[in-house]
Amino acid sequence: MAPKLTINSTVKLNSGYELPLLGFGVYQTPKQQCLEVCTEALKIGYRHIDSASDYHNQGPSAASVPASGVPRPDVFFTTKVPKRHYPLGYAHTLKLVELALEETKLGYLDLVLIHSPYGGAENRKGAWRALVESVEAGKVRSIGISNYGIHHLEELEQYIAQLEAERGGKGKGGIISVGQWEVHPWLTRPDIVQWCRARGIAVEAYCPIVRGERFGEPKVKALADKYGKTEAQILLRWSLQRGFVPLVKSVTPSRIAENAGLYDFELTEAEVEDITTTDYSPCAWDPTVSPLGN
Ligand SMILES: NC(=O)c1ccc[n+]([C@@H]2O[C@H](COP(=O)([O-])OP(=O)(O)OC[C@H]3O[C@@H](n4cnc5c(N)ncnc54)[C@H](OP(=O)(O)O)[C@@H]3O)[C@@H](O)[C@H]2O)c1
């Protein structure tokens, strides 16, 4: 039987590092609120913060680590580089990693993801090579991608093999530790999840509570009533029990606590299945469908 999940549960990444299963997202969290809400989250017990250079708040988010008194090694901090409207590629990615180190003052970054596949093959490959070198330089511990479709993932896998051949063997092309996508019961991405699971890549689920847009769905509501929990908690529990790493965002202290109150109940396997749909219903963007040339 799988061990009972707790707020301290982690998954071991292909890089060898441990990723805490419950993540705290800061997309659209105003810069001036980040220190306060991330400190609150760390005090409650979250140990994983998901930021991005494009969120313009990685500095104040990371400042919560010393402010909370939680030791640096106990916190897993993610940022993402580059996105559509940046000049993508090798040099710019190196620059963004340096900037993230400067802004966060964390000494190293636990995880850096390529935010989306936009930018074309040469830029995607250049960005990946910059991340591989950042790991080798001790600036970044684990690397991965976000919003890649299967065609982008296969391109990356081939590029890793090419780098290994050019740079002297296994591991020299970098290791994909994490992939991040919008995932919830109305967008389960079976093909991508299967691709990742076959390679031991951890799947992070963004918009795990669908930004509240699905509250009131009868099956989820019935489970919330049955367990005396909220619909947000049911959706987060679905995510954890499907083996995902949910990244949930809130600037509201009561909700930050609520979203971590997930460990005193468990859905049955049948209940997890029952709220899973085959819909394709994103609530955010979906770059996975963009062609390789974009
Ligand atoms: N890689 C990517 O492209 C990408 C894209 C989107 C998101 N992400 C990551 O994933 C994280 C989460 O995604 P998200 O922020 O879009 O969606 P989400 O976490 O599903 O939903 C956040 C929204 O739900 C509200 N909320 C939070 N907890 C609640 C609760 N218990 N009850 C009712 N409402 C609640 C929040 O409001 P308040 O804040 O006002 O409380 C906010 O409006 C982001 O912060 C980011 O780190 C990554």
Side-chain angles (χ1 to χ4, degrees):
M1 216 172 98
K4 228 174 146 41
L5 291 170
T6 74
I7 197 164
N8 300 316
S9 296
T10 59
V11 58
K12 199 183 190 69
L13 300 177
N14 285 338
S15 62
Y17 291 99
E18 299 282 338
L19 171 70
L21 290 185
L22 180 65
F24 185 69
V26 292
Y27 173 50
Q28 291 184 323
T29 299
K31 200 173 179 163
Q32 57 283 6
Q33 250 182 309
C34 264
L35 172 60
E36 190 190 328
V37 297
C38 290
T39 304
E40 177 75 12
L42 291 174
K43 284 192 172 154
I44 284 171
Y46 294 79
R47 289 292 179 268
H48 168 183
I49 297 174
D50 183 79
S51 185
S53 38
D54 199 52
Y55 300 169
H56 305 291
N57 60 18
Q58 55 187 354
S61 298
S64 65
V65 180
S68 66
V70 176
R72 164 70 185 99
D74 294 357
V75 180
F76 192 101
F77 190 88
T78 300
T79 192
K80 311 182 196 86
V81 297
K83 231 178 93 174
R84 188 187 345 215
H85 47 269
Y86 289 118
L88 303 166
Y90 175 78
H92 195 68
T93 301
L94 284 182
K95 231 186 273 170
L96 285 179
V97 168
E98 286 307 324
L99 188 65
L101 286 166
E102 257 170 55
E103 288 184 356
T104 61
K105 300 184 178 67
L106 289 173
Y108 62 88
L109 302 163
D110 293 279
L111 174 67
V112 180
L113 302 175
I114 299 177
H115 206 143
S116 81
Y118 291 137
E122 286 322 300
N123 282 317
R124 280 190 294 276
K125 291 176 188 174
W128 182 258
R129 189 160 56 87
L131 294 188
V132 173
E133 290 178 15
S134 300
V135 172
E136 289 169 350
K139 297 172 179 180
V140 174
R141 288 191 161 178
S142 304
I143 56 179
I145 39 68
S146 181
N147 296 306
Y148 273 37
I150 297 285
H151 48 312
H152 305 113
L153 291 167
E154 283 180 347
E155 174 194 86
L156 176 58
E157 196 164 59
Q158 279 165 23
Y159 182 57
I160 289 173
Q162 182 193 323
L163 283 178
E164 286 180 343
E166 286 169 9
R167 298 177 85 234
K170 196 98 196 111
K172 291 289 184 186
I175 298 166
I176 311 173
S177 284
V178 172
Q180 186 181 120
W181 291 272
E182 180 180 340
V183 174
H184 45 66
W186 300 275
L187 184 59
T188 59
R189 302 194 185 280
D191 52 344
I192 289 175
V193 171
Q194 193 186 20
W195 196 95
C196 289
R197 298 231 157 117
R199 291 159 179 81
I201 298 167
V203 177
E204 295 184 342
Y206 71 70
C207 306
I209 62 165
V210 207
R211 298 178 170 166
E213 291 173 13
R214 294 283 186 160
F215 292 166
E217 289 272 346
K219 284 182 179 177
V220 179
K221 176 129 190 11
L223 289 175
D225 292 344
K226 172 179 170 183
Y227 288 104
K229 304 299 281 187
T230 66
E231 290 171 70
Q233 290 169 322
I234 298 296
L235 293 176
L236 290 168
R237 200 61 220 192
W238 176 91
S239 197
L240 289 169
Q241 290 187 220
R242 290 282 293 222
F244 302 125
V245 177
L247 309 170
V248 62
K249 173 261 178 189
S250 179
V251 295
T252 314
S254 60
R255 290 173 174 175
I256 297 172
E258 175 186 323
N259 296 340
L262 306 174
Y263 305 100
D264 57 355
F265 78 110
E266 197 170 335
L267 301 174
T268 66
E269 273 179 38
E271 288 165 347
V272 169
E273 281 313 307
D274 194 41
I275 57 173
T276 304
T277 76
T278 54
D279 295 1
Y280 170 79
S281 196
C283 69
W285 63 338
D286 189 10
T288 65
V289 296
S290 69
L292 288 175
N294 271 20

